[in-house]
Amino acid sequence: MAMTSYPADSPSPPELPLQPICRDVLMEKYAQEGEHGIDDIHRRVARALAQAEKPGERETWAARFLQALRDGFLPAGRIQAAAGTTLAATLINCFVQPVGDSIIGNDEGYPGIYIALAEAAETMRMGGGVGYDFSRIRPHGAWVAGTRSSASGPVPFMRVFDCSCRTVESAGARRGAQMAVLRCDHPDIEAFIGAKDDGELSNFNLSVALTDAFMLAVLDDREVELVHRAEPGPRIRSAQQHRREDGLWVYGRRPAKALWDRIMRSAHAHGEPGVLFLDRINADNNLYSCETLAAANPCGEQPLPPYGSCCLGSIDLTRFVRDPFEPGARFDDDAFSRLAALAVRMLDNVLDITAWPLERQGREALLKRRIGLGFTGLGDALVMLNLRYDEPQGRATAQRIARTLRDAAYAASCALARERGAFPLFDAGTYLGWGTFASRLSEPMKMRIRAWGMRNSHLLSIAPTGTISLAFADNASNGIEPAFAWSCTRRKRLPEGGTREYEVEDHALRLYRQRRGERAALGPAFVTALQMSAKAHVDMVAAVAPYIDAAISKTVNVPVDCAYEDFEELYMQAWQLGLKGLAAYRSGSAAQGSVLEVRTRPACSGCAAPVAAA
C-alpha cells in the first residue's frame, strides 16, 4: 500500500498507510498529469511560487518552499491544484463581488445586477468562490423610477445567481460556492431568512449581517426601522414610510425580538442563516480608514471589500507535536514560527503569479496584498498533547498557538516590507490607530512596523480545510474544529456522477493505534464534536479570535435535541464575546445533507468510549 512519506529531518509523523479516500481525493482534485503522489505536487507548487523571486535565487527558494510543504504548510486548494500548470485558473480561493441596484448600469460604483452576474460567472469559471452583499438591491414592491413596474427584491435575483453557479463549470471541475449576505434592516430581510425553506438556493450559504444597534434593540425589546435608499413609491406608501436625514427611506418598523426569533428559528431548523456581526468586523479592520466590509467569502473566514480576495493557506498543527500522547508531549513553538514566516512569503508570492478573473480584483489585491494564513488539525493536535478541546487548558494552548502564529506572521510581513516594500495603501498612523487589530501588537512590533511598514494589510484567517486535510494531512481534524468522529463513512461525489462511500479514520486515532496498539484504551482527550457542549465550541473561537485579523470559519455542532432557548443563547453569547460571526448546526436536523454519516459500531475491546463511524 502507498505510504505518506516525509524527509527524516522534518517535523513529521511516522509513516502511516495512505487511506483510500485520501489517495483518491489527492489524485482527482490536486494531481496533474505525470504526478503520482504528494511529493510530486509539492515540487510543482514550490517551483511555481519561486517564480516570484529574483531569477538568480529561484532554485534556492524552490528548495526552501519544497521543505516548507513537506513540513506541513498546506496552501489552499486552488494553489495545490493549479500552481505551475497551464490551467486557466486562479490560485485564489474566494472573492467578494459587489452588486448594485440597477439592472445593467452602474450604481455609484457598484456594477448593475447582470454585470455583477457576468463578473461572478467569470470568477467561478476560473475556480473562485464568491460572496455578495445584496443589500443595495431595492426591496420587493419598491418604485422603479421611469417605469410602471415595481422591484422584485433581492431574493428573486439571488435565484438567478444560484442558477448561474449551478450551470458554470469552474476550472478544475470544482463546484461553485457562494455566500449571500443581507443586512438585518433591509425591508426584505424576512424573505431572505426563509429563502431556503423550500430547498432552493442550494449553491448559496446565507448570512444575515447584524449591527450592534440591532442587537441592543433585541436586548431592550425595541423596534427597529427597515430602511433602503430607494423610494418606496406610491403603491406601497404607508404612514410609517418617510425619508430620513441620512437619505434612507423607512419602509416600516418591526420588533427586533421578532426578527431575531425568525433568524434563530430558521437556523435551529436547518442550520441557516448564519450571522455576521458587522460592527465588530469593521472596528477590528486594519484598513477601516479606506474600506467598509459588508460581506464575506462563502465560508465566512474572510470579510472582504468589493472585489476583495482571500489568498489562503494553513499549517498542519499535528506536525509540531513532539512525543505525542506521552506525558511529556509538547508543541514545538520555534519550528512552528519558522514555518509560519516562510508560509507568509509563499502566500505573498501567490499574489504576483496568479491569474485574476477580473482586472479590478487584481488591482484591489495588489493595493492591499491581503493573505490569510491559518492552521488546521487543532483538534487532533490537542488530543496528541493529551488535552481536551472543551477544557480550559486546551483553550489556553490553542490561544498560545494562535498568538505565536500572529507574532510570527506579522514579523515576517514587516521583514518582507523592508525587503520588497510595503503594500501601496499602507499608512502607519491609521494602520496602528486605536481599535484596529494591529493596534494590539506589542510595542516593539509596532515600532518595526512604523519603521519598515507591512507587506500585507491582513495576514491571518482560519479556513475550513476539508479536502486538503484529507489529501495532504491524513484526515487531520478540519481547521479549528475538533474531530467530528474518530472513524466514519464519508460520501464522495464521483466525477462521472453518483457517490462512493469510504471508511475513513481520523489522523490522531491512526497515530495513536500505531503507537499504542489496536486494543489500547482511548484517553480522556479523545472527545469528538458532538461529545462536548455547544458552549465549548463558542468558547474555543472566543479564545482564538483575538489573534486572528480576518475571521474564523467554525461550525458549532450541537446535538439534534438541543433546546431552542439554549441554541439561541449561543448566538447572543457570540455577539457579547466580540466574535465576528457564528453558524451552528444541529446534527441530524433538517439541514442540507452532510457528506459525513455517523454509525455506531461495536467498541474496540478496552476502549473508553464507543468508536463511531462517520
Side-chain angles (χ1 to χ4, degrees):
M1 182 179 286
M3 310 287 280
T4 53
S5 179
Y6 307 96
D9 61 347
S10 71
S12 318
E15 290 188 344
L16 292 166
L18 190 62
Q19 301 185 72
I21 191 172
C22 300
R23 177 200 61 225
D24 288 359
V25 169
L26 180 82
M27 299 308 294
E28 178 186 316
K29 287 185 171 289
Y30 302 113
Q32 301 301 320
E33 186 175 357
E35 295 176 346
H36 304 289
I38 290 175
D39 217 53
D40 292 337
I41 299 171
H42 285 344
R43 291 179 186 278
R44 165 173 53 80
V45 171
R47 286 194 299 269
L49 301 192
Q51 297 310 299
E53 303 291 342
K54 296 175 182 177
E57 300 176 0
R58 288 173 183 167
E59 288 300 317
T60 299
W61 282 111
R64 293 190 65 187
F65 293 166
L66 176 60
Q67 190 61 52
L69 297 169
R70 289 170 170 169
D71 287 349
F73 175 48
L74 310 179
R78 301 313 306 157
I79 301 170
Q80 302 272 22
T85 73
T86 58
L87 290 173
T90 181
L91 306 185
I92 306 300
N93 267 53
C94 297
F95 301 82
V96 160
Q97 294 294 111
V99 183
D101 187 38
S102 66
I103 293 293
I104 58 173
N106 197 292
D107 169 27
E108 299 179 10
Y110 286 71
I113 295 166
Y114 281 92
I115 295 173
L117 179 69
E119 291 182 337
E122 177 62 9
T123 300
M124 287 185 283
R125 185 188 70 82
M126 291 187 65
V130 186
Y132 321 84
D133 173 27
F134 286 103
S135 302
R136 293 184 71 87
I137 297 178
R138 67 191 61 200
H140 174 72
W143 180 52
V144 179
T147 74
R148 295 184 178 180
S149 62
S150 58
S152 300
V155 173
F157 284 114
M158 285 164 51
R159 297 189 186 109
V160 178
F161 281 75
D162 183 71
C163 183
S164 176
C165 180
R166 187 167 56 250
T167 304
V168 174
E169 181 176 340
S170 66
R174 182 173 185 253
R175 289 185 301 134
Q178 298 183 112
M179 168 77 85
V181 177
L182 199 73
R183 284 180 59 96
C184 58
D185 54 5
H186 191 284
D188 283 4
I189 186 60
E190 292 189 77
F192 178 84
I193 294 165
K196 295 181 75 169
D197 287 353
D198 297 324
E200 293 187 288
L201 303 178
S202 59
N203 295 290
F204 268 112
N205 294 328
L206 304 184
S207 284
V208 176
L210 301 176
T211 62
D212 286 349
F214 175 84
M215 297 301 293
L216 289 170
V218 173
L219 290 177
D220 296 339
D221 197 12
R222 291 184 283 107
E223 289 188 332
V224 291
E225 293 180 332
L226 303 180
V227 299
H228 196 269
R229 61 199 180 91
E231 183 177 352
R235 282 196 288 177
I236 61 170
R237 188 74 57 82
S238 74
Q240 290 191 71
Q241 291 163 349
H242 62 275
R243 191 171 188 172
R244 303 193 316 195
E245 290 184 3
D246 58 7
L248 294 177
W249 282 89
V250 176
Y251 277 68
R253 301 177 68 87
R254 287 279 280 135
K257 273 191 175 180
L259 280 178
W260 173 255
D261 186 66
R262 181 77 175 86
I263 295 167
M264 292 295 101
R265 291 197 179 277
S266 179
H268 185 256
H270 51 73
E272 287 190 270
V275 301
L276 299 176
F277 297 118
L278 272 191
D279 291 305
R280 179 60 186 165
I281 286 170
N282 282 287
D284 203 47
N285 184 12
N286 286 337
L287 294 182
Y288 74 94
S289 64
C290 62
E291 65 181 25
T292 299
L293 305 178
N297 72 319
C299 292
E301 74 274 9
Q302 275 278 349
L304 294 166
Y307 295 106
S309 61
C310 47
C311 174
L312 300 174
S314 303
I315 296 176
D316 178 5
L317 298 181
T318 68
R319 306 288 289 277
F320 298 90
V321 178
R322 306 293 176 249
D323 301 319
F325 310 111
E326 300 298 328
R330 63 184 179 85
F331 189 82
D332 191 336
D333 294 282
D334 292 340
F336 177 61
S337 293
R338 289 193 297 271
L339 183 58
L342 194 51
V344 167
R345 188 183 193 101
M346 295 168 75
L347 290 178
D348 188 66
N349 284 4
V350 168
L351 298 174
D352 292 324
I353 68 168
T354 187
W356 297 97
L358 305 173
E359 182 182 348
R360 291 188 66 174
Q361 294 166 345
R363 288 205 306 268
E364 167 70 20
L366 297 180
L367 281 173
K368 301 169 184 175
R369 303 195 70 88
R370 260 185 175 87
I371 62 172
L373 177 63
F375 53 67
T376 192
L378 175 65
D380 279 7
L382 292 178
V383 171
M384 293 161 67
L385 290 164
N386 304 309
L387 299 173
R388 284 181 64 106
Y389 188 99
D390 58 346
E391 291 187 350
Q393 193 175 356
R395 291 191 289 273
T397 297
Q399 186 176 75
R400 180 174 58 79
I401 290 170
R403 183 170 60 245
T404 300
L405 177 65
R406 178 201 65 178
D407 293 345
Y410 269 75
S413 184
C414 186
L416 268 181
R418 189 180 189 186
E419 175 187 340
R420 296 176 169 179
F423 67 90
L425 293 185
F426 175 76
D427 175 80
T430 55
Y431 191 82
L432 298 172
W434 185 87
T436 67
F437 179 91
S439 70
R440 302 194 297 271
L441 297 168
S442 69
E443 284 304 320
M445 185 71 251
K446 289 192 281 190
M447 287 178 63
R448 279 184 279 170
I449 290 173
R450 291 186 186 99
W452 301 334
M454 288 288 288
R455 180 65 173 169
N456 314 96
S457 67
H458 299 71
L459 289 123
L460 305 164
S461 181
I462 301 181
T465 57
T467 57
I468 62 170
S469 281
L470 265 179
F472 297 97
D474 186 44
N475 193 38
S477 55
N478 175 1
I480 196 175
E481 308 285 357
F484 181 77
W486 300 118
S487 58
C488 64
T489 296
R490 186 177 180 114
R491 289 188 295 274
K492 175 181 172 294
R493 287 184 175 85
L494 300 176
E496 62 273 18
T499 62
R500 176 183 171 185
E501 289 191 349
Y502 294 80
E503 292 298 315
V504 57
E505 292 187 325
D506 178 86
H507 171 72
L509 177 69
R510 280 162 52 81
L511 188 60
Y512 184 82
R513 284 178 169 168
Q514 184 195 62
R515 290 170 176 258
R516 298 290 178 86
E518 290 289 327
R519 300 174 64 84
L522 302 183
F526 279 87
V527 58
T528 62
L530 294 178
Q531 292 173 326
M532 62 185 73
S533 71
K535 184 177 183 298
H537 289 268
V538 175
D539 287 344
M540 179 59 81
V541 180
V544 171
Y547 302 97
I548 304 299
D549 59 18
I552 299 169
S553 177
K554 171 81 175 80
T555 298
V556 175
N557 287 288
V558 299
V560 69
D561 59 354
C562 177
Y564 171 74
E565 293 76 13
D566 295 336
F567 184 89
E568 175 194 21
E569 183 61 22
L570 292 174
Y571 286 80
M572 186 59 71
Q573 288 173 349
W575 174 67
Q576 291 169 336
L577 288 167
L579 304 189
K580 294 177 180 176
L582 190 71
Y585 173 84
R586 288 190 305 132
S587 180
S589 68
Q592 299 296 319
S594 172
V595 297
L596 296 179
E597 181 181 348
V598 177
R599 301 172 181 165
T600 302
R601 69 185 186 196
C604 296
S605 176
C607 284
V611 175

